Amino acid sequence: MTSEHAPIDRTKVTFEQAEGLAPLPQQLKAREISSELRAIMWAYIFDELEGHKNTRHRPYHFTTGPWSTILEDFHVLHLYKNADEFSAKISDVYPFIKSIITQSNYGMFFGFLQFVIRHNDCPYDLANAVNEILIKSRSAYRVVEKTIVPIGSDEELSAVIGAFADVHAQKFKGARSHLRQAAEGLSEGRFADSVRDSIHAVEATARVITTKSKLSDALTELEKSAKMHGSMKAGFDRLYGWTSDEKGIRHPLLNEGDANVSEADALFMLGACASFVSLLIAKGRAAGLVEA
């Protein structure tokens, strides 16, 4: 996937991420639009336009129905172009809207969709359909109250990028592998798998630092040697307990379906675990357990 915005700033990401070797979750890739999202969205918008074109009084024109008003208003009120320059001809409308959906940058892409969703003549259930497409394509955005909003924060993104940088050492290759798999699982919609690998990244990191096989023992060791606050340890113990209790996350299900894990759960756990991996390494370095 290629970015729709400025070239990547290599000073703010690891070499692996800059080269595409350490993937970020699709949901955290704000300002990017996948070819999958473009293709599915255009198929839907095309069907919508086809269903409302006027072929009776003025063949191949949008002269009645919701789209005639929406498109002209978009031309005038969003693009700030003169009303007399608007064309309702199919031969003009289709290429123009198709170029927005399939070729434009993320600003124009989402700007058009949000304008349509907020328009008084927006076709019934279009907002829900657009949101379903964003979910299906694992976009970093969702439709909330007629507004397109990001679901992944800059803080979550920074935590993941920072964690990949912190586990670059060979001895942390297990943690790095789990973080990569957690990101891939989130991108592919395997949310329980993503949570499982997120927590495994923490386990792998703690095991390297303390040589303790169990996470609870490793955290107890770090609480003593690295001066980790007891409340922080207890908080992560509870998160760890949730992944152990929720069927299908840390233990496979047999004929019971998928674990009850949402996309929001997986996003939170990846950000939380990435932050905790970085914290453990920092604590380990401060205690002399990890080489600087």
Side-chain angles (χ1 to χ4, degrees), residues 16-81:
E16 291 90 345
Q17 287 168 332
E19 295 295 312
L21 302 176
L24 292 172
Q26 182 74 15
Q27 292 88 338
L28 291 181
K29 291 184 176 179
R31 299 182 294 278
E32 291 195 9
I33 310 170
S34 69
S35 57
E36 175 187 8
L37 173 56
R38 290 185 185 276
I40 297 175
M41 192 66 74
W42 171 240
Y44 174 74
I45 296 297
F46 176 76
D47 285 344
E48 270 288 316
L49 295 175
E50 282 284 285
H52 290 90
K53 66 183 181 182
N54 187 340
T55 58
R56 181 175 301 176
H57 302 295
R58 295 192 65 190
Y60 311 114
H61 279 66
F62 289 98
T63 55
T64 60
W67 283 101
S68 63
T69 307
I70 292 172
L71 295 176
E72 185 170 5
D73 284 349
F74 181 75
H75 175 89
V76 176
L77 302 178
H78 191 82
L79 300 181
Y80 307 118
K81 295 184 177 181

Coordinates of all heavy atoms in Angstrom, one line a residue, residues 16-81:
E16 N 12.9 -0.8 9.6 CA 11.9 -1.9 9.1 C 10.6 -1.3 8.7 O 10.0 -1.7 7.7 CB 11.7 -2.9 10.2 CG 12.9 -3.8 10.6 CD 13.8 -3.1 11.7 OE1 13.6 -1.9 11.9 OE2 14.7 -3.8 12.2
Q17 N 10.1 -0.3 9.4 CA 8.8 0.2 9.1 C 8.9 1.1 7.8 O 8.0 1.1 7.0 CB 8.3 1.1 10.2 CG 7.8 0.2 11.4 CD 7.5 1.0 12.6 OE1 8.1 2.0 12.9 NE2 6.6 0.5 13.5
A18 N 10.0 1.8 7.7 CA 10.2 2.7 6.5 C 10.3 1.8 5.3 O 9.9 2.2 4.2 CB 11.5 3.5 6.7
E19 N 10.9 0.6 5.4 CA 11.0 -0.3 4.3 C 9.8 -1.2 4.2 O 9.8 -2.1 3.2 CB 12.3 -1.2 4.5 CG 13.6 -0.4 4.5 CD 13.8 0.2 3.1 OE1 13.7 -0.5 2.1 OE2 14.1 1.4 3.1
G20 N 8.8 -1.1 5.1 CA 7.7 -2.0 5.0 C 7.8 -3.3 5.5 O 7.0 -4.3 5.3
L21 N 8.9 -3.6 6.3 CA 9.1 -4.9 6.9 C 8.5 -5.1 8.3 O 8.3 -6.2 8.7 CB 10.7 -5.1 7.1 CG 11.5 -5.0 5.8 CD1 13.0 -5.1 6.1 CD2 11.0 -6.0 4.8
A22 N 8.1 -4.0 8.9 CA 7.5 -4.1 10.2 C 6.1 -3.3 10.1 O 6.1 -2.1 10.3 CB 8.3 -3.5 11.3
P23 N 5.1 -4.0 9.7 CA 3.8 -3.3 9.4 C 3.1 -2.7 10.6 O 3.2 -3.2 11.7 CB 3.0 -4.5 8.8 CG 3.5 -5.7 9.5 CD 5.0 -5.5 9.7
L24 N 2.6 -1.5 10.3 CA 1.6 -0.9 11.2 C 0.2 -1.4 10.9 O 0.0 -1.8 9.8 CB 1.7 0.6 11.1 CG 2.9 1.3 11.6 CD1 2.9 2.8 11.2 CD2 3.2 1.1 13.0
P25 N -0.6 -1.5 11.9 CA -2.0 -2.0 11.6 C -2.7 -1.0 10.6 O -2.5 0.2 10.6 CB -2.7 -1.9 13.0 CG -1.6 -1.8 14.0 CD -0.5 -1.2 13.3
Q26 N -3.5 -1.6 9.8 CA -4.2 -0.8 8.8 C -5.0 0.3 9.5 O -5.1 1.4 9.0 CB -5.2 -1.7 8.0 CG -6.0 -1.0 6.9 CD -5.1 -0.7 5.7 OE1 -4.0 -1.2 5.6 NE2 -5.7 0.2 4.9
Q27 N -5.6 0.0 10.7 CA -6.4 0.9 11.4 C -5.7 2.1 11.9 O -6.3 3.1 12.3 CB -7.1 0.2 12.5 CG -8.2 -0.8 12.1 CD -7.6 -2.2 11.9 OE1 -6.4 -2.3 11.7 NE2 -8.4 -3.2 12.0
L28 N -4.4 2.1 12.0 CA -3.6 3.2 12.5 C -3.0 4.0 11.3 O -2.2 4.9 11.5 CB -2.5 2.7 13.4 CG -3.0 2.2 14.8 CD1 -1.8 1.8 15.6 CD2 -3.8 3.2 15.5
K29 N -3.2 3.6 10.1 CA -2.7 4.2 8.9 C -3.6 5.4 8.5 O -4.2 5.3 7.4 CB -2.4 3.3 7.8 CG -1.3 2.3 8.1 CD -1.0 1.4 6.9 CE 0.2 0.4 7.2 NZ 0.4 -0.5 6.1
A30 N -3.7 6.4 9.3 CA -4.5 7.5 8.9 C -3.9 8.2 7.7 O -2.7 8.1 7.4 CB -4.5 8.5 10.1
R31 N -4.8 8.8 6.9 CA -4.4 9.5 5.7 C -4.0 8.6 4.5 O -3.4 9.0 3.6 CB -3.3 10.5 5.9 CG -3.7 11.6 6.9 CD -2.6 12.6 7.1 NE -1.4 12.1 7.8 CZ -1.3 11.9 9.1 NH1 -2.3 12.2 9.9 NH2 -0.2 11.4 9.6
E32 N -4.3 7.3 4.7 CA -4.1 6.3 3.6 C -5.4 5.7 3.2 O -6.3 5.4 4.1 CB -3.0 5.3 4.1 CG -1.6 5.8 4.2 CD -0.6 4.7 4.3 OE1 -1.0 3.6 4.0 OE2 0.6 5.0 4.5
I33 N -5.5 5.3 2.0 CA -6.7 4.7 1.4 C -6.2 3.5 0.6 O -5.5 3.6 -0.3 CB -7.5 5.6 0.5 CG1 -7.8 7.0 1.2 CG2 -8.8 5.0 0.2 CD1 -8.4 8.0 0.3
S34 N -6.6 2.3 1.1 CA -6.2 1.1 0.4 C -7.0 0.9 -1.0 O -8.1 1.5 -1.2 CB -6.5 -0.1 1.2 OG -7.9 -0.4 1.4
S35 N -6.4 0.2 -1.9 CA -7.0 -0.1 -3.1 C -8.3 -0.9 -2.9 O -9.3 -0.7 -3.7 CB -6.1 -0.9 -4.0 OG -5.6 -2.1 -3.4
E36 N -8.3 -1.7 -1.9 CA -9.6 -2.5 -1.5 C -10.7 -1.5 -1.2 O -11.8 -1.6 -1.7 CB -9.3 -3.4 -0.3 CG -10.5 -4.1 0.2 CD -10.3 -4.9 1.5 OE1 -9.2 -4.7 2.1 OE2 -11.2 -5.6 1.9
L37 N -10.4 -0.5 -0.3 CA -11.4 0.5 0.1 C -11.9 1.3 -1.1 O -13.1 1.5 -1.3 CB -10.9 1.4 1.1 CG -11.7 2.6 1.5 CD1 -13.1 2.1 2.0 CD2 -11.0 3.4 2.6
R38 N -11.0 1.7 -2.0 CA -11.4 2.5 -3.2 C -12.3 1.7 -4.1 O -13.3 2.2 -4.6 CB -10.1 2.9 -3.9 CG -9.3 4.0 -3.2 CD -8.2 4.4 -4.1 NE -7.2 5.3 -3.5 CZ -7.4 6.7 -3.4 NH1 -8.5 7.2 -3.9 NH2 -6.5 7.4 -2.8
A39 N -11.9 0.4 -4.3 CA -12.7 -0.4 -5.2 C -14.1 -0.7 -4.7 O -15.1 -0.6 -5.4 CB -12.0 -1.7 -5.5
I40 N -14.2 -1.1 -3.4 CA -15.5 -1.4 -2.8 C -16.4 -0.1 -2.8 O -17.6 -0.2 -3.0 CB -15.3 -2.0 -1.5 CG1 -14.6 -3.4 -1.6 CG2 -16.7 -2.3 -0.8 CD1 -14.3 -4.0 -0.3
M41 N -15.8 1.0 -2.4 CA -16.5 2.2 -2.3 C -17.0 2.7 -3.6 O -18.2 3.1 -3.7 CB -15.7 3.3 -1.6 CG -16.5 4.6 -1.2 SD -17.6 4.2 0.1 CE -16.5 4.1 1.5
W42 N -16.2 2.6 -4.7 CA -16.7 3.0 -6.0 C -17.8 2.1 -6.5 O -18.8 2.6 -7.1 CB -15.5 3.0 -7.0 CG -16.0 3.3 -8.4 CD1 -15.9 2.4 -9.5 CD2 -16.8 4.4 -8.9 NE1 -16.5 3.0 -10.6 CE2 -17.0 4.1 -10.3 CE3 -17.3 5.5 -8.3 CZ2 -17.8 5.0 -11.1 CZ3 -18.0 6.4 -9.1 CH2 -18.3 6.2 -10.4
A43 N -17.7 0.8 -6.2 CA -18.8 -0.1 -6.6 C -20.1 0.3 -6.0 O -21.1 0.3 -6.7 CB -18.4 -1.6 -6.2
Y44 N -20.0 0.7 -4.8 CA -21.3 1.1 -4.1 C -21.8 2.4 -4.6 O -23.0 2.5 -4.9 CB -21.0 1.2 -2.6 CG -22.2 1.8 -1.8 CD1 -23.4 1.0 -1.6 CD2 -22.2 3.1 -1.4 CE1 -24.5 1.5 -1.0 CE2 -23.3 3.6 -0.7 CZ -24.5 2.8 -0.5 OH -25.6 3.3 0.1
I45 N -20.9 3.4 -4.7 CA -21.3 4.7 -5.2 C -21.8 4.6 -6.7 O -22.8 5.2 -7.0 CB -20.2 5.8 -5.1 CG1 -19.8 6.0 -3.7 CG2 -20.6 7.1 -5.8 CD1 -20.9 6.6 -2.8
F46 N -21.2 3.8 -7.5 CA -21.6 3.6 -8.9 C -23.0 3.0 -8.9 O -23.9 3.5 -9.7 CB -20.6 2.6 -9.6 CG -21.1 2.3 -11.0 CD1 -20.9 3.2 -12.0 CD2 -21.6 1.1 -11.3 CE1 -21.2 2.9 -13.3 CE2 -22.0 0.8 -12.6 CZ -21.8 1.7 -13.6
D47 N -23.3 2.0 -8.1 CA -24.7 1.5 -8.0 C -25.7 2.5 -7.6 O -26.8 2.6 -8.1 CB -24.7 0.3 -7.1 CG -24.1 -1.0 -7.7 OD1 -23.9 -1.0 -8.9 OD2 -23.8 -1.9 -6.9
E48 N -25.3 3.4 -6.6 CA -26.2 4.4 -6.2 C -26.5 5.4 -7.3 O -27.7 5.8 -7.5 CB -25.5 5.2 -5.0 CG -25.8 4.7 -3.6 CD -27.2 4.9 -3.2 OE1 -27.7 6.1 -3.4 OE2 -27.9 4.0 -2.7
L49 N -25.5 5.8 -8.0 CA -25.7 6.7 -9.1 C -26.5 6.1 -10.2 O -27.4 6.7 -10.8 CB -24.3 7.2 -9.7 CG -23.4 8.0 -8.8 CD1 -22.1 8.2 -9.4 CD2 -24.1 9.3 -8.4
E50 N -26.3 4.8 -10.5 CA -27.0 4.1 -11.5 C -28.5 4.1 -11.2 O -29.4 4.2 -12.1 CB -26.5 2.7 -11.7 CG -25.2 2.6 -12.5 CD -25.5 2.7 -14.0 OE1 -26.0 1.8 -14.6 OE2 -25.2 3.8 -14.5
G51 N -28.8 3.9 -9.9 CA -30.2 3.8 -9.5 C -31.0 5.1 -9.5 O -32.2 5.1 -9.4
H52 N -30.3 6.2 -9.7 CA -30.9 7.5 -9.6 C -30.8 8.4 -10.9 O -31.3 9.5 -10.9 CB -30.4 8.4 -8.4 CG -30.8 7.8 -7.1 ND1 -30.1 6.9 -6.4 CD2 -31.9 8.1 -6.3 CE1 -30.7 6.6 -5.3 NE2 -31.8 7.3 -5.2
K53 N -30.1 7.9 -11.9 CA -30.0 8.7 -13.1 C -31.3 8.8 -13.9 O -32.2 7.8 -13.8 CB -28.9 8.1 -14.0 CG -29.2 6.7 -14.6 CD -28.0 6.3 -15.4 CE -28.3 4.9 -16.1 NZ -27.1 4.4 -16.8
N54 N -31.5 9.8 -14.6 CA -32.8 10.1 -15.3 C -32.6 9.6 -16.7 O -31.8 10.2 -17.5 CB -33.1 11.6 -15.3 CG -34.4 11.9 -15.9 OD1 -35.0 11.1 -16.6 ND2 -35.0 13.1 -15.5
T55 N -33.4 8.6 -17.1 CA -33.3 8.1 -18.5 C -34.6 8.3 -19.2 O -34.8 7.8 -20.3 CB -33.0 6.6 -18.4 OG1 -33.9 5.9 -17.7 CG2 -31.6 6.3 -17.8
R56 N -35.5 9.0 -18.6 CA -36.9 9.2 -19.2 C -37.0 10.5 -19.9 O -37.2 10.6 -21.1 CB -38.0 9.1 -18.2 CG -39.4 9.2 -18.7 CD -40.4 8.9 -17.6 NE -40.2 7.6 -17.0 CZ -40.9 7.1 -16.0 NH1 -41.9 7.9 -15.4 NH2 -40.7 5.9 -15.6
H57 N -36.9 11.6 -19.2 CA -37.1 13.0 -19.8 C -35.8 13.5 -20.4 O -35.9 14.1 -21.5 CB -37.7 13.9 -18.7 CG -39.0 13.5 -18.1 ND1 -40.1 13.3 -18.9 CD2 -39.3 13.1 -16.9 CE1 -41.1 12.9 -18.1 NE2 -40.6 12.7 -16.9
R58 N -34.7 13.4 -19.7 CA -33.5 13.8 -20.3 C -32.5 12.7 -20.1 O -31.8 12.5 -19.1 CB -32.9 15.1 -19.5 CG -33.8 16.3 -19.7 CD -33.1 17.5 -19.1 NE -31.9 17.8 -19.9 CZ -31.0 18.7 -19.6 NH1 -31.1 19.4 -18.4 NH2 -29.9 19.0 -20.3
P59 N -32.4 11.9 -21.1 CA -31.5 10.7 -21.1 C -30.1 11.0 -20.6 O -29.5 12.0 -21.0 CB -31.5 10.2 -22.5 CG -32.8 10.7 -23.1 CD -33.0 12.0 -22.4
Y60 N -29.6 10.1 -19.7 CA -28.3 10.2 -19.2 C -27.9 11.5 -18.5 O -26.8 12.0 -18.6 CB -27.3 9.9 -20.3 CG -27.7 8.7 -21.1 CD1 -28.1 8.8 -22.4 CD2 -27.7 7.5 -20.5 CE1 -28.5 7.7 -23.1 CE2 -28.0 6.3 -21.2 CZ -28.4 6.4 -22.5 OH -28.8 5.3 -23.2
H61 N -28.9 12.0 -17.7 CA -28.7 13.2 -16.9 C -29.2 12.9 -15.5 O -30.1 12.1 -15.3 CB -29.5 14.4 -17.4 CG -28.8 15.1 -18.5 ND1 -28.6 14.6 -19.8 CD2 -28.3 16.4 -18.6 CE1 -28.0 15.4 -20.5 NE2 -27.8 16.5 -19.9
F62 N -28.6 13.6 -14.5 CA -29.1 13.6 -13.1 C -29.9 14.9 -13.0 O -29.4 16.0 -12.7 CB -28.0 13.6 -12.1 CG -27.3 12.3 -12.0 CD1 -26.1 12.1 -12.7 CD2 -27.8 11.2 -11.3 CE1 -25.4 10.9 -12.6 CE2 -27.1 10.0 -11.2 CZ -25.9 9.9 -11.9
T63 N -31.2 14.9 -13.3 CA -32.0 16.1 -13.2 C -33.1 16.0 -12.1 O -33.7 17.0 -11.7 CB -32.7 16.3 -14.5 OG1 -33.5 15.1 -14.9 CG2 -31.7 16.6 -15.6
T64 N -33.3 14.8 -11.5 CA -34.2 14.6 -10.4 C -33.6 13.7 -9.4 O -32.5 13.1 -9.7 CB -35.5 14.0 -10.9 OG1 -35.2 12.7 -11.5 CG2 -36.2 14.9 -11.9
G65 N -34.2 13.6 -8.2 CA -33.7 12.7 -7.2 C -32.6 13.3 -6.4 O -32.1 14.4 -6.6
P66 N -32.2 12.6 -5.3 CA -31.2 13.2 -4.4 C -29.9 13.5 -5.0 O -29.3 14.6 -4.6 CB -31.1 12.1 -3.3 CG -31.5 10.8 -4.0 CD -32.5 11.2 -5.0
W67 N -29.4 12.7 -5.9 CA -28.0 12.9 -6.4 C -27.9 14.2 -7.2 O -26.8 14.8 -7.3 CB -27.5 11.7 -7.1 CG -27.1 10.6 -6.2 CD1 -27.8 9.5 -5.9 CD2 -25.9 10.6 -5.4 NE1 -27.1 8.7 -5.0 CE2 -25.9 9.4 -4.7 CE3 -24.8 11.4 -5.3 CZ2 -24.9 9.0 -3.8 CZ3 -23.7 11.0 -4.4 CH2 -23.8 9.8 -3.7
S68 N -29.0 14.6 -7.9 CA -28.9 15.8 -8.7 C -28.6 17.0 -7.8 O -27.8 17.9 -8.1 CB -30.2 16.0 -9.4 OG -31.3 16.2 -8.5
T69 N -29.2 17.1 -6.6 CA -29.0 18.2 -5.7 C -27.7 18.1 -5.0 O -26.9 19.0 -4.8 CB -30.2 18.2 -4.6 OG1 -31.4 18.3 -5.3 CG2 -30.0 19.4 -3.8
I70 N -27.4 16.8 -4.5 CA -26.1 16.6 -3.8 C -24.9 17.0 -4.7 O -24.0 17.7 -4.2 CB -26.0 15.1 -3.4 CG1 -27.0 14.8 -2.3 CG2 -24.6 14.8 -2.9 CD1 -27.1 13.3 -2.0
L71 N -24.9 16.5 -5.9 CA -23.7 16.8 -6.8 C -23.6 18.3 -7.1 O -22.5 18.8 -7.2 CB -23.8 15.9 -8.0 CG -23.8 14.4 -7.8 CD1 -24.0 13.7 -9.1 CD2 -22.4 14.0 -7.2
E72 N -24.7 18.9 -7.4 CA -24.6 20.4 -7.7 C -24.2 21.1 -6.5 O -23.3 22.1 -6.6 CB -25.9 20.9 -8.2 CG -25.9 22.3 -8.6 CD -27.1 22.8 -9.4 OE1 -28.1 22.1 -9.5 OE2 -27.1 24.0 -9.8
D73 N -24.7 20.8 -5.3 CA -24.3 21.5 -4.1 C -22.8 21.2 -3.8 O -22.1 22.1 -3.3 CB -25.1 21.0 -2.9 CG -26.5 21.6 -2.9 OD1 -26.7 22.5 -3.7 OD2 -27.4 21.2 -2.1
F74 N -22.3 20.0 -4.0 CA -20.9 19.7 -3.8 C -20.1 20.6 -4.7 O -19.0 21.1 -4.3 CB -20.7 18.2 -4.1 CG -19.2 17.8 -3.9 CD1 -18.7 17.6 -2.6 CD2 -18.4 17.6 -5.0 CE1 -17.4 17.2 -2.4 CE2 -17.1 17.2 -4.8 CZ -16.6 17.0 -3.5
H75 N -20.5 20.7 -6.0 CA -19.8 21.5 -6.9 C -19.7 23.0 -6.5 O -18.6 23.6 -6.6 CB -20.6 21.5 -8.3 CG -20.0 22.4 -9.4 ND1 -19.1 22.0 -10.2 CD2 -20.4 23.6 -9.7 CE1 -18.8 22.9 -11.1 NE2 -19.6 24.0 -10.8
V76 N -20.8 23.5 -5.9 CA -20.8 24.9 -5.5 C -20.3 25.2 -4.1 O -19.5 26.0 -3.8 CB -22.3 25.5 -5.7 CG1 -22.3 27.0 -5.2 CG2 -22.7 25.4 -7.1
L77 N -20.9 24.4 -3.2 CA -20.7 24.6 -1.7 C -19.4 24.0 -1.2 O -18.9 24.5 -0.1 CB -21.9 24.1 -0.9 CG -23.2 24.7 -1.3 CD1 -24.3 24.1 -0.5 CD2 -23.2 26.3 -1.1
H78 N -18.9 23.0 -1.8 CA -17.6 22.4 -1.3 C -16.4 22.7 -2.2 O -15.3 23.0 -1.7 CB -17.8 20.8 -1.3 CG -16.7 20.1 -0.5 ND1 -16.7 20.0 0.9 CD2 -15.6 19.5 -0.9 CE1 -15.6 19.4 1.2 NE2 -14.9 19.0 0.2
L79 N -16.6 22.6 -3.5 CA -15.5 22.9 -4.4 C -15.5 24.4 -4.8 O -14.5 24.9 -5.4 CB -15.6 22.1 -5.7 CG -15.6 20.6 -5.5 CD1 -15.8 19.9 -6.9 CD2 -14.4 20.1 -4.8
Y80 N -16.5 25.2 -4.4 CA -16.6 26.6 -4.7 C -16.4 26.9 -6.2 O -15.7 27.9 -6.6 CB -15.5 27.4 -3.9 CG -15.6 27.1 -2.4 CD1 -14.5 26.5 -1.7 CD2 -16.8 27.3 -1.7 CE1 -14.6 26.1 -0.4 CE2 -16.9 27.0 -0.3 CZ -15.8 26.4 0.3 OH -15.9 26.1 1.6
K81 N -17.2 26.2 -7.0 CA -17.2 26.5 -8.4 C -18.5 27.1 -8.8 O -19.5 26.9 -8.1 CB -16.9 25.2 -9.2 CG -15.5 24.6 -9.0 CD -15.3 23.4 -9.9 CE -13.9 22.8 -9.7 NZ -13.6 21.7 -10.6

